[in-house]
Amino acid sequence: MTGTMDEVKEQVHENIKAEECQDPTQTLPDPPPEFTDCDCEKCESCENIANWWEIFKNTVDDLVLRSNVHQCRTSIPAGEKKSKKERRG
């Protein structure tokens, strides 16, 4: 959500070093602040909402990085796969 995979990895590793960092796969997310009609972006309510969204996006990045990054590999070289397909005939 907030950047490339390398940028997210770097940010998550920095967050892990922080003492207050919790594994998001082991905790419930913080609820959003109470809704208001204000959109001035200067009052305390607007700042709370903006901060919550920032934390939310970082948490989603962390969750996706921990649970949905695949590095699929195969133990069969590509040349052998092709030759096996050809043998089925």
Side-chain angles (χ1 to χ4, degrees):
M1 286 187 87
T2 62
T4 66
M5 188 159 77
D6 288 335
E7 291 169 342
V8 170
K9 279 182 184 178
E10 185 177 322
Q11 183 64 44
V12 167
H13 290 300
E14 287 177 19
N15 291 345
I16 289 172
K17 292 177 185 176
E19 290 181 18
E20 69 274 356
C21 180
Q22 296 179 341
D23 182 349
T25 64
Q26 303 294 319
T27 60
L28 293 172
D30 292 330
E34 198 168 313
F35 177 76
T36 62
D37 270 343
C38 182
D39 62 351
C40 71
E41 298 182 12
K42 296 178 183 176
C43 69
E44 184 179 350
S45 178
C46 289
E47 286 180 13
N48 288 341
I49 290 171
N51 289 338
W52 181 85
W53 274 109
E54 190 65 30
I55 293 167
F56 172 80
K57 290 175 186 177
N58 288 331
T59 301
V60 169
D61 281 346
D62 194 346
L63 284 167
V64 170
L65 186 67
R66 290 174 190 256
S67 63
N68 201 28
V69 174
H70 302 273
Q71 293 183 352
C72 299
R73 295 184 217 149
T74 180
S75 58
I76 303 172
E80 287 183 36
K81 284 183 184 179
K82 185 176 180 181
S83 62
K84 284 185 180 184
K85 288 180 183 178
E86 291 171 356
R87 284 186 261 168
R88 291 183 186 167

